[in-house]
Amino acid sequence: MSRIKKLFIGIFVAVSLLVSVGFQSDFFEIAKQIDIYTTLFKELNMYYIDEVNPAKLTNNAVNHMLENLDPYTRYYDEQGVEDARIEQTGEYGGIGATTQYKNNTLIIRELLKGSPAEKEGMKPGDKILKINDVVVKDYDEKGASALLNGLPNTNIKLQIERQNKKIDLELTRKKVEVNPVPYYTMLDAEVGYISFTKFNEKAASEVKKAFLELKEEGMKKLIIDVRSNPGGLLMEAVKITNFFIPKNKIVVTTKAKIEKWSETFSTQDEPLDLEIPVVILVNNRSASASEILAGSLQDYDRGVIIGERSFGKGLVQRYRELSYGTQMKITISKYYTPSGRCIQELDYTNRDAKGKVPKFSDAGRETYKTEIGRTVYGGGGILPDIEVEKPTTTETTENLLNSDAFFNYVTNYFYENTTIAAPSKFELNDTDFNSLKKYLSKNNDAFETKTEAHFKEAKQKAISEHLDGSLDQTFTELLDKIQLEKLKELDKNKEEILHKLTEEIVKRYYYDEGVYMQKASFDTNIIKAMSILNNNETYNSILKK
């Protein structure tokens, strides 16, 4: 045997041993940790002084473990599996209402147009007290929400409270279909507009339907609005991209730890239209499949992207079945647009000691080239061809928009105004903004900042340690000043607050469709997109090297 062959065999054996040892080491470590958890779990159940709930303990342990990875890797119990199926398919049997469980009450937050709840006269803000003979306050959030759903054509009795009055209703559950395309229209004689809100199993077919109908109406230019669209099914993004680029073009490539899960997704069909000028509207909440659509059209110089830098979710998930009917959605790969860029913004693998997640873009963004040679950037989302900047949303504004006070103000507005103008003519002004602030000044508890919460905690601590003494008046005066500053801080985001307030008010009267009808008349990004589409020279100059 030659010396070279002996050397080769020796290296091969050494590598094989290292791989084997490494595999055994990994397997041993996994087995060790599982055994530790199993024995700990057994000891807790046998000897802990009070009764424990094994399912709750396991759920808490699993969810806490997954929190240290990324927010998309999740565990689903049996009910969660059904919720995930509904999210993917866009249909379920129920009353057609979005709810929130708070203070032992199930509150209607939003209604689907044409749903059983809407037809029976239910309204956002209604509090559900009883479902059939079950008192809602005796259930947790998941249990109470689950009681609303059931087989289509089954009856359900509800007792609700509206404006301090109790009302009994009987509804028939229906197969509720969530249309991902709530609105499409012609904005003028040539420009069509399609908005869609998620990439579920109906997305491509509904977008195609809207496109073909608009073409029949004379559409020669198109605006696609995926602002605040969080994404969904990757293949739906591939199909929609295929409407505008040729067959056999790469749309997205995924790279996984498991080689067989690394895939290249290309267009499979003949396109609907290769010539029509296209604008894609994005914002900082356009994510995942929305970014695949925008990124691929940008890489092929097929459309102009307008808006804010997108969210930056370049991770792909897949569902994996677990035992006893449970599931796990796990991040298995990263995706790359046709130019080779991954637009993932947050680096979940390298959290610091305090748990803060760094951004890939903080280290600088790599440059890539589109098909004709334009420069585009990886990391940190899709950078629009035309950025529309807006003031930074303050923490106080974020707090307001997610608060009960904001929701309750819209509810009060609805009951104080039996009608409003048509969406295409409805617009709020400074008087409405001041009216909101006046309401907030009288309802501080429903709109509380972290500063106020910590200040109140400090006061309670002082009382518990008997240090409040003569401080009570001082505490009250300081809290009043904090609340005044809180209201002043909202002025920095007046336009954004009025915009969101307009959306929520219009939605109460005209549902999602009305929101987009209002946008079509007043939204600055849509107006900007129309001006570019209606100027061929400007549009073409953006898509040149």
Side-chain angles (χ1 to χ4, degrees):
M1 187 181 293
S2 70
R3 185 177 177 184
I4 293 177
K5 185 177 285 188
K6 288 180 179 179
L7 179 62
F8 176 79
I9 293 173
I11 293 172
F12 176 78
V13 171
V15 170
S16 298
L17 286 171
L18 285 172
V19 170
S20 176
V21 170
F23 177 79
Q24 290 178 17
S25 175
D26 287 345
F27 181 80
F28 172 76
E29 186 62 26
I30 293 170
K32 172 185 171 183
Q33 298 306 322
I34 291 174
D35 189 52
I36 290 172
Y37 178 78
T38 302
T39 53
L40 181 148
F41 194 73
K42 178 181 175 182
E43 296 296 310
L44 271 177
N45 276 283
M46 289 183 66
Y47 301 118
Y48 186 71
I49 183 64
D50 295 319
E51 287 294 320
V52 296
N53 184 324
K56 190 173 182 180
L57 279 178
T58 299
N59 277 342
N60 289 341
V62 169
N63 290 329
H64 183 71
M65 173 179 67
L66 298 182
E67 280 175 5
N68 293 299
L69 300 177
D70 63 55
Y72 315 111
T73 298
R74 297 177 183 176
Y75 165 74
Y76 297 93
D77 59 17
E78 294 93 329
Q79 180 57 46
V81 170
E82 177 62 16
D83 294 340
R85 186 195 67 78
I86 290 169
E87 181 69 18
Q88 289 184 74
T89 60
E91 59 184 44
Y92 64 97
I95 67 170
T98 302
T99 60
Q100 179 187 37
Y101 189 79
K102 196 162 190 178
N103 298 326
N104 295 320
T105 305
L106 201 59
I107 302 171
I108 299 293
R109 299 287 296 193
E110 190 174 338
L111 296 170
L112 288 176
K113 185 178 179 180
S115 66
E118 188 263 338
K119 288 181 178 178
E120 199 59 38
M122 296 187 73
K123 305 294 181 186
D126 287 350
K127 299 174 182 178
I128 299 178
L129 306 179
K130 290 176 66 176
I131 302 174
N132 291 326
D133 295 324
V134 177
V135 179
V136 169
K137 68 179 182 181
D138 294 337
Y139 274 67
D140 60 13
E141 181 174 7
K142 280 189 175 182
S145 297
L147 289 172
L148 291 174
N149 296 329
L151 294 173
N153 300 317
T154 56
N155 292 334
I156 180 172
K157 293 181 179 180
L158 302 177
Q159 183 181 80
I160 65 171
E161 181 182 308
R162 177 187 301 159
Q163 302 289 287
N164 299 316
K165 293 181 180 179
K166 291 183 179 180
I167 304 171
D168 292 320
L169 300 171
E170 184 169 352
L171 296 79
T172 301
R173 296 184 182 95
K174 298 293 182 184
K175 181 179 178 181
V176 180
E177 297 188 357
V178 181
N179 189 341
V181 180
Y183 186 65
Y184 57 93
T185 191
M186 292 295 294
L187 298 175
D188 63 19
E190 294 189 344
V191 179
Y193 171 81
I194 300 173
S195 64
F196 66 105
T197 55
K198 60 177 63 179
F199 287 78
N200 62 19
E201 289 181 353
K202 301 176 184 294
S205 61
E206 290 296 330
V207 171
K208 181 178 181 179
K209 173 187 171 185
F211 181 87
L212 294 176
E213 287 188 19
L214 292 176
K215 284 279 282 188
E216 287 184 4
E217 293 180 35
M219 178 177 67
K220 294 182 175 62
K221 302 156 189 176
L222 173 64
I223 298 171
I224 298 176
D225 192 345
V226 289
R227 287 176 295 177
S228 300
N229 185 324
L233 300 176
L234 181 148
M235 282 308 302
E236 294 298 298
V238 175
K239 291 177 184 177
I240 295 170
T241 302
N242 193 173
F243 295 162
F244 307 104
I245 64 173
K247 187 176 180 180
N248 298 323
K249 284 280 192 176
I250 293 174
V251 175
V252 62
T253 302
T254 65
K255 296 180 182 179
K257 181 194 294 185
I258 307 299
E259 188 175 349
K260 69 177 181 179
W261 287 353
S262 296
E263 299 180 81
T264 297
F265 297 89
S266 300
T267 52
Q268 301 294 313
D269 303 311
E270 294 299 330
L272 295 179
D273 195 317
L274 291 177
E275 303 298 329
I276 187 170
V278 178
V279 165
I280 309 290
L281 298 181
V282 298
N283 65 6
N284 61 3
R285 290 189 293 164
S286 302
S288 189
S290 292
E291 294 172 300
I292 291 174
L293 173 64
S296 57
L297 293 182
Q298 188 179 50
D299 284 357
Y300 285 118
D301 308 290
R302 183 61 188 86
V304 173
I305 315 300
I306 296 178
E308 304 164 30
R309 192 170 78 171
S310 64
F311 182 81
K313 180 179 181 287
L315 306 176
V316 180
Q317 287 73 44
R318 179 175 293 184
Y319 286 93
R320 302 288 295 170
E321 291 188 5
L322 306 176
S323 54
Y324 297 99
T326 62
Q327 274 187 3
M328 181 180 186
K329 185 173 72 171
I330 181 171
T331 297
I332 62 162
S333 61
K334 292 182 179 180
Y335 72 75
Y336 299 79
T337 68
S339 66
R341 53 182 169 149
C342 180
I343 51 80
Q344 176 63 23
E345 169 71 302
L346 297 175
D347 182 8
Y348 295 105
T349 302
N350 295 302
R351 297 173 190 261
D352 64 20
K354 295 182 179 179
K356 183 179 179 181
V357 181
K359 297 179 178 180
F360 284 110
S361 60
D362 288 342
R365 305 188 72 184
E366 294 184 20
T367 59
Y368 298 82
K369 295 295 181 181
T370 69
E371 193 169 54
I372 66 169
R374 294 188 302 143
T375 299
V376 289
Y377 299 89
I382 301 295
L383 184 67
D385 300 304
I386 297 177
E387 280 194 272
V388 179
E389 295 185 5
K390 69 180 186 70
T392 302
T393 303
T394 67
E395 190 171 341
T396 302
T397 296
E398 288 277 7
N399 192 296
L400 168 65
L401 299 180
N402 293 316
S403 71
D404 288 341
F406 192 77
F407 178 80
N408 293 339
Y409 177 81
V410 176
T411 300
N412 290 344
Y413 185 101
F414 176 78
Y415 286 111
E416 290 172 2
N417 298 271
T418 54
T419 60
I420 62 172
S424 60
K425 297 181 179 179
F426 183 79
E427 193 172 20
L428 298 178
N429 53 36
D430 288 352
T431 301
D432 297 291
F433 183 69
N434 292 330
S435 175
L436 172 63
K437 288 177 66 175
K438 185 177 180 180
Y439 174 85
L440 296 174
S441 69
K442 296 178 180 179
N443 294 272
N444 270 300
D445 289 344
F447 167 41
E448 187 176 71
T449 62
K450 290 180 181 178
T451 300
E452 290 171 294
H454 291 323
F455 189 79
K456 290 177 182 179
E457 287 176 10
K459 181 180 179 180
Q460 291 303 314
K461 189 68 175 175
I463 292 172
S464 68
E465 295 180 356
H466 306 291
L467 299 176
D468 53 317
S470 60
L471 293 178
D472 191 58
Q473 181 63 30
T474 304
F475 267 120
T476 301
E477 291 173 357
L478 284 173
L479 186 58
D480 287 343
K481 289 181 179 180
I482 290 172
Q483 290 170 345
L484 284 173
E485 289 301 317
K486 173 180 69 175
L487 295 178
K488 286 182 184 178
E489 183 74 359
L490 297 178
D491 292 341
K492 296 178 181 178
N493 292 133
K494 182 175 73 172
E495 287 189 13
E496 181 179 353
I497 292 169
L498 278 175
H499 173 76
K500 186 63 176 176
L501 186 61
T502 299
E503 281 191 10
E504 293 304 313
I505 290 174
V506 170
K507 190 182 292 184
R508 295 294 178 98
Y509 297 86
Y510 299 103
Y511 306 95
D512 279 345
E513 182 181 4
V515 172
Y516 288 99
M517 290 172 67
Q518 198 275 342
K519 287 178 185 291
S521 295
F522 296 102
D523 187 272
T524 55
N525 284 21
I526 293 177
I527 294 170
K528 179 74 172 177
M530 287 182 67
S531 69
I532 290 170
L533 284 170
N534 286 324
N535 187 321
N536 291 335
E537 186 177 343
T538 301
Y539 179 85
N540 291 329
S541 68
I542 295 168
L543 296 178
K544 288 182 179 178
K545 186 175 178 180

